[in-house]
Short mmCIF file of all heavy atoms in Angstrom, two decimals:
data_model
loop_
_atom_site.label_atom_id
_atom_site.label_comp_id
_atom_site.label_asym_id
_atom_site.label_seq_id
_atom_site.Cartn_x
_atom_site.Cartn_y
_atom_site.Cartn_z
N MET A 3 0.80 -1.16 0.01
CA MET A 3 -0.01 -0.01 0.00
C MET A 3 0.91 1.25 -0.04
O MET A 3 1.76 1.40 0.86
CB MET A 3 -0.86 0.01 1.27
CG MET A 3 -1.98 0.95 1.25
SD MET A 3 -2.96 0.76 2.72
CE MET A 3 -2.68 2.35 3.57
N VAL A 4 0.59 2.12 -0.89
CA VAL A 4 1.42 3.42 -0.95
C VAL A 4 0.76 4.44 -0.08
O VAL A 4 -0.46 4.68 -0.09
CB VAL A 4 1.40 3.89 -2.49
CG1 VAL A 4 2.21 5.23 -2.56
CG2 VAL A 4 1.95 2.91 -3.36
N ARG A 5 1.62 5.09 0.76
CA ARG A 5 1.15 6.00 1.73
C ARG A 5 1.53 7.48 1.42
O ARG A 5 1.45 8.38 2.20
CB ARG A 5 1.68 5.66 3.13
CG ARG A 5 1.20 4.29 3.60
CD ARG A 5 1.77 3.98 5.01
NE ARG A 5 3.19 3.75 4.95
CZ ARG A 5 3.85 2.95 5.76
NH1 ARG A 5 3.21 2.35 6.66
NH2 ARG A 5 5.10 2.82 5.65
N GLY A 6 1.98 7.64 0.19
CA GLY A 6 2.45 8.97 -0.21
C GLY A 6 3.95 9.01 -0.42
O GLY A 6 4.54 8.00 -0.87
N LYS A 7 4.56 10.09 -0.10
CA LYS A 7 6.03 10.16 -0.34
C LYS A 7 6.73 10.53 0.94
O LYS A 7 6.09 11.21 1.90
CB LYS A 7 6.34 11.23 -1.39
CG LYS A 7 5.98 10.70 -2.79
CD LYS A 7 6.65 11.58 -3.80
CE LYS A 7 6.67 10.90 -5.15
NZ LYS A 7 7.52 11.60 -6.15
N CYS A 8 7.93 10.11 1.15
CA CYS A 8 8.80 10.56 2.28
C CYS A 8 10.21 10.65 1.89
O CYS A 8 10.65 10.22 0.84
CB CYS A 8 8.57 9.59 3.49
SG CYS A 8 9.41 8.05 3.35
N PHE A 9 10.99 11.20 2.82
CA PHE A 9 12.42 11.35 2.54
C PHE A 9 13.17 10.12 3.01
O PHE A 9 12.96 9.62 4.13
CB PHE A 9 12.95 12.62 3.27
CG PHE A 9 12.63 13.83 2.52
CD1 PHE A 9 11.58 14.62 2.93
CD2 PHE A 9 13.38 14.21 1.41
CE1 PHE A 9 11.21 15.80 2.27
CE2 PHE A 9 13.07 15.45 0.72
CZ PHE A 9 12.00 16.19 1.18
N PHE A 10 14.00 9.59 2.17
CA PHE A 10 14.87 8.44 2.50
C PHE A 10 16.29 8.90 2.53
O PHE A 10 16.69 9.82 1.91
CB PHE A 10 14.73 7.37 1.36
CG PHE A 10 13.37 6.68 1.40
CD1 PHE A 10 12.36 7.20 0.71
CD2 PHE A 10 13.28 5.46 2.01
CE1 PHE A 10 11.14 6.54 0.70
CE2 PHE A 10 12.08 4.75 1.98
CZ PHE A 10 10.98 5.27 1.29
N ILE A 11 17.07 8.05 3.30
CA ILE A 11 18.51 8.32 3.32
C ILE A 11 19.15 6.97 2.93
O ILE A 11 18.75 5.87 3.33
CB ILE A 11 19.08 8.79 4.62
CG1 ILE A 11 20.53 9.05 4.57
CG2 ILE A 11 18.70 7.87 5.77
CD1 ILE A 11 21.11 9.96 5.65
N CYS A 12 20.18 7.01 2.07
CA CYS A 12 20.94 5.83 1.64
C CYS A 12 22.00 5.49 2.66
O CYS A 12 22.75 6.39 3.06
CB CYS A 12 21.58 6.05 0.27
SG CYS A 12 22.54 4.71 -0.32
N ASP A 13 22.05 4.25 3.06
CA ASP A 13 23.02 3.87 4.08
C ASP A 13 24.41 3.73 3.50
O ASP A 13 25.41 3.76 4.15
CB ASP A 13 22.61 2.51 4.72
CG ASP A 13 23.47 2.15 5.94
OD1 ASP A 13 23.52 2.97 6.80
OD2 ASP A 13 24.08 1.03 5.85
N LYS A 14 24.43 3.58 2.20
CA LYS A 14 25.73 3.28 1.54
C LYS A 14 26.47 4.69 1.22
O LYS A 14 27.59 4.87 1.57
CB LYS A 14 25.51 2.57 0.23
CG LYS A 14 26.56 1.62 -0.14
CD LYS A 14 26.12 0.77 -1.30
CE LYS A 14 27.31 0.03 -1.92
NZ LYS A 14 26.88 -0.69 -3.07
N CYS A 15 25.74 5.60 0.48
CA CYS A 15 26.37 6.84 0.08
C CYS A 15 25.84 8.10 0.80
O CYS A 15 26.27 9.16 0.51
CB CYS A 15 26.27 6.98 -1.43
SG CYS A 15 24.52 7.24 -2.02
N LYS A 16 24.84 7.86 1.68
CA LYS A 16 24.25 8.96 2.51
C LYS A 16 23.45 9.96 1.75
O LYS A 16 23.20 11.09 2.27
CB LYS A 16 25.32 9.71 3.37
CG LYS A 16 26.28 8.76 4.14
CD LYS A 16 25.55 7.91 5.14
CE LYS A 16 26.57 6.94 5.84
NZ LYS A 16 25.88 5.79 6.47
N LYS A 17 23.12 9.55 0.52
CA LYS A 17 22.31 10.41 -0.28
C LYS A 17 20.89 10.55 0.28
O LYS A 17 20.36 9.54 0.80
CB LYS A 17 22.19 9.88 -1.69
CG LYS A 17 21.11 10.47 -2.54
CD LYS A 17 21.61 11.49 -3.48
CE LYS A 17 20.53 11.96 -4.40
NZ LYS A 17 20.84 13.31 -4.92
N ILE A 18 20.31 11.74 0.35
CA ILE A 18 18.98 11.98 0.81
C ILE A 18 18.10 12.26 -0.38
O ILE A 18 18.49 13.13 -1.21
CB ILE A 18 18.88 13.08 1.85
CG1 ILE A 18 19.62 12.68 3.15
CG2 ILE A 18 17.42 13.52 2.17
CD1 ILE A 18 19.85 13.79 4.14
N PHE A 19 17.00 11.56 -0.51
CA PHE A 19 16.06 11.70 -1.65
C PHE A 19 14.59 11.46 -1.24
O PHE A 19 14.39 10.85 -0.21
CB PHE A 19 16.55 10.78 -2.81
CG PHE A 19 16.51 9.31 -2.43
CD1 PHE A 19 15.47 8.56 -2.83
CD2 PHE A 19 17.57 8.81 -1.77
CE1 PHE A 19 15.41 7.19 -2.47
CE2 PHE A 19 17.53 7.39 -1.44
CZ PHE A 19 16.43 6.61 -1.80
N ARG A 20 13.74 11.90 -2.12
CA ARG A 20 12.30 11.75 -1.83
C ARG A 20 11.67 10.72 -2.74
O ARG A 20 11.97 10.71 -3.92
CB ARG A 20 11.55 13.08 -2.07
CG ARG A 20 10.27 13.22 -1.44
CD ARG A 20 9.94 14.66 -1.27
NE ARG A 20 8.56 14.81 -0.71
CZ ARG A 20 7.48 15.09 -1.39
NH1 ARG A 20 7.58 15.41 -2.68
NH2 ARG A 20 6.30 15.15 -0.78
N ASP A 21 10.94 9.69 -2.21
CA ASP A 21 10.40 8.67 -3.04
C ASP A 21 9.17 8.13 -2.38
O ASP A 21 8.77 8.57 -1.26
CB ASP A 21 11.41 7.52 -3.21
CG ASP A 21 11.28 6.90 -4.60
OD1 ASP A 21 10.15 6.79 -5.06
OD2 ASP A 21 12.30 6.46 -5.13
N LEU A 22 8.50 7.19 -3.10
CA LEU A 22 7.22 6.67 -2.56
C LEU A 22 7.42 5.93 -1.27
O LEU A 22 8.34 5.14 -1.13
CB LEU A 22 6.68 5.71 -3.64
CG LEU A 22 5.99 6.30 -4.86
CD1 LEU A 22 5.55 5.21 -5.83
CD2 LEU A 22 4.91 7.30 -4.52
N ASP A 23 6.53 6.13 -0.38
CA ASP A 23 6.45 5.44 0.90
C ASP A 23 5.50 4.30 0.79
O ASP A 23 4.30 4.49 0.80
CB ASP A 23 6.04 6.52 1.97
CG ASP A 23 5.94 5.85 3.35
OD1 ASP A 23 6.44 4.73 3.56
OD2 ASP A 23 5.31 6.52 4.25
N ILE A 24 6.05 3.15 0.63
CA ILE A 24 5.24 1.93 0.45
C ILE A 24 5.38 1.00 1.67
O ILE A 24 6.51 0.77 2.08
CB ILE A 24 5.69 1.10 -0.86
CG1 ILE A 24 5.58 2.06 -2.05
CG2 ILE A 24 4.80 -0.12 -1.02
CD1 ILE A 24 6.26 1.53 -3.28
N GLU A 25 4.27 0.61 2.12
CA GLU A 25 4.21 -0.32 3.34
C GLU A 25 5.08 -1.57 3.14
O GLU A 25 4.98 -2.23 2.13
CB GLU A 25 2.76 -0.71 3.45
CG GLU A 25 2.34 -1.37 4.75
CD GLU A 25 0.86 -1.55 4.67
OE1 GLU A 25 0.09 -0.62 5.08
OE2 GLU A 25 0.39 -2.60 4.20
N TRP A 26 5.88 -1.85 4.20
CA TRP A 26 6.74 -3.05 4.15
C TRP A 26 5.96 -4.19 4.70
O TRP A 26 5.72 -4.30 5.86
CB TRP A 26 8.04 -2.79 4.87
CG TRP A 26 8.87 -4.03 5.09
CD1 TRP A 26 8.92 -4.74 6.31
CD2 TRP A 26 9.62 -4.79 4.15
NE1 TRP A 26 9.80 -5.83 6.10
CE2 TRP A 26 10.21 -5.88 4.81
CE3 TRP A 26 9.90 -4.57 2.82
CZ2 TRP A 26 11.04 -6.77 4.14
CZ3 TRP A 26 10.72 -5.52 2.14
CH2 TRP A 26 11.32 -6.54 2.83
N MET A 27 5.55 -5.22 3.88
CA MET A 27 4.88 -6.42 4.28
C MET A 27 3.87 -6.23 5.45
O MET A 27 3.93 -6.85 6.46
CB MET A 27 5.92 -7.44 4.79
CG MET A 27 6.81 -7.93 3.67
SD MET A 27 7.93 -9.16 4.31
CE MET A 27 8.64 -9.83 2.76
N ALA A 28 2.91 -5.32 5.21
CA ALA A 28 1.84 -5.08 6.14
C ALA A 28 2.32 -4.65 7.53
O ALA A 28 1.74 -5.03 8.56
CB ALA A 28 0.89 -6.31 6.29
N THR A 29 3.40 -3.92 7.53
CA THR A 29 3.86 -3.34 8.84
C THR A 29 3.78 -1.87 8.79
O THR A 29 3.45 -1.31 7.69
CB THR A 29 5.36 -3.76 9.13
OG1 THR A 29 6.15 -3.14 8.08
CG2 THR A 29 5.53 -5.24 9.11
N THR A 30 4.18 -1.16 9.85
CA THR A 30 4.19 0.36 9.79
C THR A 30 5.50 0.82 9.15
O THR A 30 5.64 2.02 8.96
CB THR A 30 4.08 0.89 11.26
OG1 THR A 30 5.18 0.41 12.00
CG2 THR A 30 2.78 0.53 11.85
N TYR A 31 6.42 -0.05 8.79
CA TYR A 31 7.68 0.34 8.21
C TYR A 31 7.50 0.56 6.72
O TYR A 31 6.55 0.13 6.07
CB TYR A 31 8.75 -0.77 8.43
CG TYR A 31 8.98 -1.01 9.88
CD1 TYR A 31 8.65 -2.31 10.36
CD2 TYR A 31 9.34 -0.02 10.77
CE1 TYR A 31 8.83 -2.57 11.75
CE2 TYR A 31 9.53 -0.31 12.12
CZ TYR A 31 9.23 -1.55 12.58
OH TYR A 31 9.39 -1.79 13.96
N SER A 32 8.50 1.27 6.12
CA SER A 32 8.43 1.62 4.73
C SER A 32 9.41 0.64 3.96
O SER A 32 10.43 0.33 4.42
CB SER A 32 8.89 3.03 4.50
OG SER A 32 8.08 3.91 5.16
N THR A 33 8.94 0.25 2.70
CA THR A 33 9.74 -0.57 1.91
C THR A 33 10.97 0.24 1.43
O THR A 33 10.78 1.33 0.85
CB THR A 33 9.03 -1.07 0.68
OG1 THR A 33 7.80 -1.69 1.14
CG2 THR A 33 9.78 -1.91 -0.20
N PRO A 34 12.16 -0.28 1.64
CA PRO A 34 13.36 0.41 1.12
C PRO A 34 13.28 0.56 -0.40
O PRO A 34 12.87 -0.34 -1.10
CB PRO A 34 14.56 -0.53 1.54
CG PRO A 34 14.03 -1.27 2.63
CD PRO A 34 12.57 -1.53 2.39
N VAL A 35 13.61 1.71 -0.93
CA VAL A 35 13.54 2.00 -2.34
C VAL A 35 14.97 2.17 -2.87
O VAL A 35 15.96 2.33 -2.08
CB VAL A 35 12.74 3.23 -2.65
CG1 VAL A 35 11.29 3.06 -2.35
CG2 VAL A 35 13.28 4.51 -1.97
N GLU A 36 15.17 2.01 -4.16
CA GLU A 36 16.51 2.10 -4.77
C GLU A 36 17.08 3.51 -4.69
O GLU A 36 16.35 4.47 -5.01
CB GLU A 36 16.39 1.59 -6.25
CG GLU A 36 17.78 1.55 -6.89
CD GLU A 36 17.64 1.02 -8.34
OE1 GLU A 36 16.54 0.77 -8.79
OE2 GLU A 36 18.71 0.84 -8.95
N CYS A 37 18.26 3.61 -4.25
CA CYS A 37 18.99 4.86 -4.20
C CYS A 37 19.24 5.43 -5.61
O CYS A 37 19.83 4.68 -6.42
CB CYS A 37 20.30 4.72 -3.42
SG CYS A 37 21.31 6.24 -3.54
N PRO A 38 18.83 6.63 -5.89
CA PRO A 38 19.03 7.17 -7.28
C PRO A 38 20.46 7.45 -7.54
O PRO A 38 20.84 7.62 -8.73
CB PRO A 38 18.18 8.48 -7.26
CG PRO A 38 18.15 8.86 -5.82
CD PRO A 38 18.15 7.55 -5.02
N GLN A 39 21.30 7.49 -6.59
CA GLN A 39 22.72 7.84 -6.77
C GLN A 39 23.60 6.59 -6.98
O GLN A 39 24.42 6.50 -7.86
CB GLN A 39 23.22 8.72 -5.66
CG GLN A 39 24.68 9.13 -5.76
CD GLN A 39 25.05 10.31 -4.92
OE1 GLN A 39 24.73 11.43 -5.18
NE2 GLN A 39 25.64 9.96 -3.78
N CYS A 40 23.51 5.61 -6.04
CA CYS A 40 24.36 4.45 -6.12
C CYS A 40 23.61 3.09 -6.42
O CYS A 40 24.29 2.07 -6.68
CB CYS A 40 25.18 4.30 -4.81
SG CYS A 40 24.15 3.74 -3.42
N GLY A 41 22.28 3.17 -6.54
CA GLY A 41 21.56 1.93 -6.93
C GLY A 41 21.37 0.99 -5.75
O GLY A 41 20.87 -0.17 -5.97
N SER A 42 21.79 1.28 -4.52
CA SER A 42 21.67 0.38 -3.42
C SER A 42 20.22 0.37 -2.90
O SER A 42 19.55 1.37 -2.96
CB SER A 42 22.61 0.77 -2.30
OG SER A 42 22.33 0.09 -1.09
N TYR A 43 19.79 -0.80 -2.38
CA TYR A 43 18.47 -0.80 -1.72
C TYR A 43 18.58 -0.69 -0.28
O TYR A 43 17.58 -0.86 0.52
CB TYR A 43 17.75 -2.19 -2.10
CG TYR A 43 17.03 -2.12 -3.42
CD1 TYR A 43 17.74 -2.43 -4.60
CD2 TYR A 43 15.72 -1.71 -3.49
CE1 TYR A 43 17.11 -2.36 -5.81
CE2 TYR A 43 15.04 -1.61 -4.67
CZ TYR A 43 15.78 -1.96 -5.91
OH TYR A 43 15.13 -1.85 -7.11
N HIS A 44 19.77 -0.43 0.23
CA HIS A 44 19.93 -0.18 1.73
C HIS A 44 19.60 1.22 2.07
O HIS A 44 20.52 2.05 2.37
CB HIS A 44 21.41 -0.63 2.13
CG HIS A 44 21.59 -2.09 2.11
ND1 HIS A 44 22.57 -2.67 2.83
CD2 HIS A 44 20.96 -3.06 1.42
CE1 HIS A 44 22.50 -3.99 2.64
NE2 HIS A 44 21.58 -4.27 1.79
N THR A 45 18.29 1.60 1.96
CA THR A 45 17.88 2.93 2.20
C THR A 45 16.76 2.78 3.23
O THR A 45 16.12 1.79 3.40
CB THR A 45 17.31 3.55 0.92
OG1 THR A 45 16.20 2.71 0.42
CG2 THR A 45 18.31 3.69 -0.16
N ARG A 46 16.53 3.92 3.96
CA ARG A 46 15.48 3.97 4.95
C ARG A 46 14.95 5.40 5.17
O ARG A 46 15.68 6.33 4.80
CB ARG A 46 16.01 3.45 6.33
CG ARG A 46 17.12 4.30 6.91
CD ARG A 46 17.73 3.71 8.16
NE ARG A 46 18.86 4.54 8.57
CZ ARG A 46 18.71 5.63 9.35
NH1 ARG A 46 17.54 6.04 9.81
NH2 ARG A 46 19.81 6.33 9.65
N PRO A 47 13.73 5.44 5.61
CA PRO A 47 13.16 6.85 5.89
C PRO A 47 14.09 7.55 6.86
O PRO A 47 14.63 6.86 7.86
CB PRO A 47 11.84 6.58 6.49
CG PRO A 47 11.43 5.26 6.01
CD PRO A 47 12.76 4.45 5.90
N ILE A 48 14.37 8.83 6.71
CA ILE A 48 15.22 9.57 7.54
C ILE A 48 14.90 9.45 9.04
O ILE A 48 15.81 9.30 9.97
CB ILE A 48 15.24 11.06 7.15
CG1 ILE A 48 16.02 11.19 5.82
CG2 ILE A 48 15.85 11.95 8.16
CD1 ILE A 48 15.99 12.62 5.30
N LEU A 49 13.64 9.50 9.42
CA LEU A 49 13.21 9.45 10.76
C LEU A 49 13.12 8.06 11.38
O LEU A 49 12.65 7.91 12.53
CB LEU A 49 11.86 10.19 10.90
CG LEU A 49 11.88 11.62 10.45
CD1 LEU A 49 10.48 12.18 10.53
CD2 LEU A 49 12.75 12.49 11.32
N SER A 50 13.51 7.06 10.64
CA SER A 50 13.41 5.65 11.13
C SER A 50 14.57 5.21 11.97
O SER A 50 15.61 5.92 12.01
CB SER A 50 13.18 4.75 9.93
OG SER A 50 14.41 4.78 9.20
N LEU A 51 14.41 4.07 12.60
CA LEU A 51 15.47 3.49 13.43
C LEU A 51 16.28 2.52 12.57
O LEU A 51 15.81 1.63 11.92
CB LEU A 51 14.88 2.70 14.58
CG LEU A 51 14.15 3.60 15.62
CD1 LEU A 51 13.35 2.63 16.64
CD2 LEU A 51 15.08 4.44 16.36
N LYS A 52 17.58 2.77 12.56
CA LYS A 52 18.45 1.98 11.68
C LYS A 52 18.47 0.45 12.00
O LYS A 52 18.43 -0.32 11.08
CB LYS A 52 19.88 2.50 11.74
CG LYS A 52 20.77 1.90 10.70
CD LYS A 52 22.14 2.64 10.62
CE LYS A 52 23.00 1.95 9.58
NZ LYS A 52 24.32 2.51 9.59
N PRO A 53 18.44 0.05 13.28
CA PRO A 53 18.45 -1.38 13.54
C PRO A 53 17.28 -2.17 12.87
O PRO A 53 17.47 -3.32 12.41
CB PRO A 53 18.39 -1.49 15.06
CG PRO A 53 18.92 -0.18 15.54
CD PRO A 53 18.49 0.88 14.50
N VAL A 54 16.14 -1.54 12.85
CA VAL A 54 14.98 -2.13 12.22
C VAL A 54 15.27 -2.38 10.71
O VAL A 54 14.99 -3.44 10.19
CB VAL A 54 13.73 -1.25 12.39
CG1 VAL A 54 12.60 -1.77 11.56
CG2 VAL A 54 13.35 -1.08 13.83
N TYR A 55 15.79 -1.40 10.11
CA TYR A 55 16.05 -1.51 8.64
C TYR A 55 17.20 -2.39 8.35
O TYR A 55 17.20 -3.06 7.28
CB TYR A 55 16.21 -0.07 8.05
CG TYR A 55 14.83 0.52 7.87
CD1 TYR A 55 14.28 1.20 8.90
CD2 TYR A 55 14.14 0.22 6.64
CE1 TYR A 55 12.91 1.62 8.74
CE2 TYR A 55 12.86 0.70 6.58
CZ TYR A 55 12.26 1.36 7.57
OH TYR A 55 10.97 1.88 7.46
N LYS A 56 18.18 -2.54 9.25
CA LYS A 56 19.24 -3.56 9.08
C LYS A 56 18.66 -4.94 8.93
O LYS A 56 19.06 -5.72 8.04
CB LYS A 56 20.21 -3.55 10.24
CG LYS A 56 21.20 -2.50 10.13
CD LYS A 56 22.30 -2.67 11.18
CE LYS A 56 23.61 -1.87 10.86
NZ LYS A 56 24.56 -1.91 11.90
N ARG A 57 17.56 -5.21 9.62
CA ARG A 57 16.88 -6.52 9.54
C ARG A 57 16.14 -6.61 8.21
O ARG A 57 16.16 -7.65 7.53
CB ARG A 57 15.87 -6.70 10.71
CG ARG A 57 16.55 -7.05 11.99
CD ARG A 57 15.67 -7.81 12.94
NE ARG A 57 14.40 -7.13 13.19
CZ ARG A 57 14.21 -6.27 14.23
NH1 ARG A 57 15.24 -5.98 14.95
NH2 ARG A 57 13.15 -5.65 14.45
N ILE A 58 15.45 -5.51 7.79
CA ILE A 58 14.76 -5.54 6.51
C ILE A 58 15.73 -5.74 5.35
O ILE A 58 15.48 -6.49 4.44
CB ILE A 58 13.96 -4.26 6.38
CG1 ILE A 58 12.80 -4.21 7.38
CG2 ILE A 58 13.37 -4.16 4.97
CD1 ILE A 58 11.95 -2.92 7.46
N TRP A 59 16.86 -5.00 5.39
CA TRP A 59 17.86 -5.14 4.35
C TRP A 59 18.31 -6.55 4.21
O TRP A 59 18.53 -7.08 3.12
CB TRP A 59 19.02 -4.23 4.58
CG TRP A 59 18.67 -2.69 4.62
CD1 TRP A 59 17.58 -2.12 3.93
CD2 TRP A 59 19.32 -1.66 5.24
NE1 TRP A 59 17.56 -0.75 4.20
CE2 TRP A 59 18.62 -0.47 5.03
CE3 TRP A 59 20.41 -1.61 6.08
CZ2 TRP A 59 19.01 0.71 5.57
CZ3 TRP A 59 20.82 -0.40 6.62
CH2 TRP A 59 20.09 0.79 6.37
N LYS A 60 18.53 -7.12 5.42
CA LYS A 60 19.01 -8.55 5.43
C LYS A 60 18.08 -9.48 4.78
O LYS A 60 18.42 -10.35 3.96
CB LYS A 60 19.32 -8.99 6.91
CG LYS A 60 20.08 -10.25 7.00
CD LYS A 60 20.58 -10.39 8.44
CE LYS A 60 21.29 -11.71 8.63
NZ LYS A 60 20.41 -12.86 8.91
N SER A 61 16.79 -9.31 5.07
CA SER A 61 15.78 -10.25 4.53
C SER A 61 15.60 -9.91 3.01
O SER A 61 15.37 -10.83 2.26
CB SER A 61 14.43 -10.13 5.27
OG SER A 61 13.70 -9.00 4.85
N MET A 62 15.80 -8.63 2.59
CA MET A 62 15.82 -8.34 1.19
C MET A 62 16.94 -9.00 0.44
O MET A 62 16.84 -9.55 -0.62
CB MET A 62 15.82 -6.83 0.93
CG MET A 62 14.54 -6.13 1.24
SD MET A 62 14.72 -4.37 1.03
CE MET A 62 14.20 -4.18 -0.70
N ASP A 63 18.09 -8.92 1.13
CA ASP A 63 19.33 -9.53 0.49
C ASP A 63 19.08 -11.03 0.30
O ASP A 63 19.53 -11.66 -0.67
CB ASP A 63 20.56 -9.29 1.35
CG ASP A 63 20.99 -7.76 1.27
OD1 ASP A 63 20.50 -7.09 0.32
OD2 ASP A 63 21.82 -7.30 2.13
N GLU A 64 18.52 -11.68 1.36
CA GLU A 64 18.29 -13.10 1.37
C GLU A 64 17.28 -13.47 0.24
O GLU A 64 17.49 -14.48 -0.48
CB GLU A 64 17.81 -13.67 2.71
CG GLU A 64 18.91 -13.77 3.66
CD GLU A 64 18.49 -13.86 5.12
OE1 GLU A 64 17.25 -13.97 5.35
OE2 GLU A 64 19.30 -13.93 6.00
N GLN A 65 16.32 -12.68 0.10
CA GLN A 65 15.29 -12.92 -0.93
C GLN A 65 15.92 -12.88 -2.32
O GLN A 65 15.65 -13.70 -3.21
CB GLN A 65 14.16 -11.96 -0.86
CG GLN A 65 13.04 -12.38 0.13
CD GLN A 65 12.00 -11.25 0.30
OE1 GLN A 65 11.88 -10.42 -0.55
NE2 GLN A 65 11.40 -11.25 1.42
N SER A 66 16.70 -11.86 -2.57
CA SER A 66 17.28 -11.63 -3.89
C SER A 66 18.35 -12.74 -4.21
O SER A 66 18.60 -13.14 -5.37
CB SER A 66 17.83 -10.25 -4.03
OG SER A 66 18.84 -10.00 -3.12
N SER A 67 18.99 -13.29 -3.12
CA SER A 67 19.99 -14.33 -3.41
C SER A 67 19.36 -15.64 -3.63
O SER A 67 20.00 -16.65 -4.07
CB SER A 67 21.10 -14.39 -2.31
OG SER A 67 20.42 -14.74 -1.11
N ASN A 68 18.04 -15.81 -3.24
CA ASN A 68 17.35 -17.05 -3.40
C ASN A 68 16.83 -17.27 -4.83
O ASN A 68 16.40 -18.34 -5.22
CB ASN A 68 16.17 -17.15 -2.43
CG ASN A 68 16.63 -17.47 -1.06
OD1 ASN A 68 17.76 -17.89 -0.83
ND2 ASN A 68 15.83 -17.23 -0.05
N LYS A 69 16.84 -16.18 -5.65
CA LYS A 69 16.33 -16.27 -7.01
C LYS A 69 17.25 -17.14 -7.87
O LYS A 69 18.45 -17.05 -7.80
CB LYS A 69 16.19 -14.90 -7.55
CG LYS A 69 14.84 -14.30 -7.23
CD LYS A 69 14.73 -12.82 -7.66
CE LYS A 69 13.60 -12.14 -6.90
NZ LYS A 69 13.77 -10.66 -6.99
ZN1 ZN B 21 23.21 5.44 -2.31
#
């Protein structure tokens, strides 16, 4: 579900950008979006807690390596 737009920060290159805020697997968290600068999916909303997103990034990495 798309909830509008929010500001994300890239964990890799620290780029700040605005993108769609999409619900992560029916939770209150936002789905990480691709960084427009370095292409990494290790991004999170600026106001979010990093430890939570570390877990989400890990599960995304595991999903993409299972393909
Ligand atoms: Zn980046």
Side-chain angles (χ1 to χ4, degrees):
M3 191 177 119
V4 180
R5 295 180 293 209
K7 287 197 163 189
C8 75
F9 283 98
F10 288 84
I11 183 163
C12 176
D13 189 56
K14 213 171 169 186
C15 67
K16 310 301 178 198
K17 164 100 177 158
I18 292 168
F19 59 99
R20 199 159 178 255
D21 212 325
L22 285 179
D23 180 12
I24 303 167
E25 191 177 272
W26 170 256
M27 290 183 172
T29 66
T30 58
Y31 304 117
S32 302
T33 303
V35 294
E36 186 178 2
C37 171
Q39 184 163 276
C40 71
S42 172
Y43 277 89
H44 288 202
T45 59
R46 64 184 174 86
I48 287 177
L49 299 174
S50 65
L51 295 169
K52 191 172 174 181
V54 172
Y55 281 86
K56 276 190 165 174
R57 285 207 301 273
I58 293 176
W59 298 333
K60 191 166 177 276
S61 81
M62 286 177 90
D63 289 345
E64 282 165 3
Q65 275 172 23
S66 58
S67 63
N68 285 344
K69 271 174 201 162

